[in-house]
Amino acid sequence: MAKLTIEDLKRIKEQVKKDTALREGGATVKITVHMGTCGIAAGAREVMDALLQEMAETDRQDIRVVTSGCMGMCSSEPNVTVEVQGHDPVVYQGMDANKMRQVFKRHVLLGEVQTDFALARMKEESPEEGSAEQET
């Protein structure tokens, strides 16, 4: 095995910074579309397609879209969680393409929670209380 040089370490450091920036990237909004089997059966793919269309039409680079599995509330699927930095996450239920477009334009872009579709507003736990959140 060849010895690593300072230049090799610098190159590795830059690559790791670049890779983590893609994951963490300074996003101020995180939108999670819950795409478990129950969510997909209830229309989560159409919700995701509508969200991606809305994302393509905006020039915001600080919005991160992720998917996750079922959150255990199959009867309210498709569910979408919107987390805006500095505010409590909001879970939306029974989403469809039109509701997703409205949530994106009103909540994500303008900061107006759409209470008609909201299932719950979750309180973020402080570090002392522990955190059960896992990102997938």
Side-chain angles (χ1 to χ4, degrees), residues 74-124:
C74 302
S75 63
S76 64
E77 293 284 354
N79 293 315
V80 173
T81 303
V82 175
E83 300 173 64
V84 178
Q85 191 172 36
H87 299 278
D88 294 330
V90 176
V91 178
Y92 289 101
Q93 65 176 342
M95 298 297 285
D96 61 22
N98 289 332
K99 290 177 181 176
M100 187 66 245
R101 288 185 188 96
Q102 181 177 335
V103 166
F104 185 82
K105 290 176 181 169
R106 305 295 298 259
H107 184 174
V108 174
L109 298 180
L110 301 175
E112 301 170 4
V113 175
Q114 301 301 294
T115 56
D116 291 346
F117 318 136
L119 174 66
R121 183 179 289 221
M122 302 182 317
K123 291 283 182 193
E124 291 192 27

Side-chain angles (χ1 to χ4, degrees), residues 35-94:
M35 297 186 73
T37 305
C38 54
I40 291 170
R45 286 190 197 278
E46 291 79 15
V47 170
M48 177 61 92
D49 290 344
L51 175 59
L52 294 177
Q53 287 173 354
E54 291 298 319
M55 288 286 297
E57 293 175 9
T58 185
D59 59 352
R60 296 265 307 259
Q61 301 297 315
D62 62 330
I63 301 170
R64 187 166 53 143
V65 175
V66 298
T67 61
S68 75
C70 177
M71 59 188 296
M73 296 185 291
C74 302
S75 63
S76 64
E77 293 284 354
N79 293 315
V80 173
T81 303
V82 175
E83 300 173 64
V84 178
Q85 191 172 36
H87 299 278
D88 294 330
V90 176
V91 178
Y92 289 101
Q93 65 176 342

Side-chain angles (χ1 to χ4, degrees), residues 123-132:
K123 291 283 182 193
E124 291 192 27
E125 294 180 12
S126 67
E128 294 83 34
E129 296 172 1
S131 176

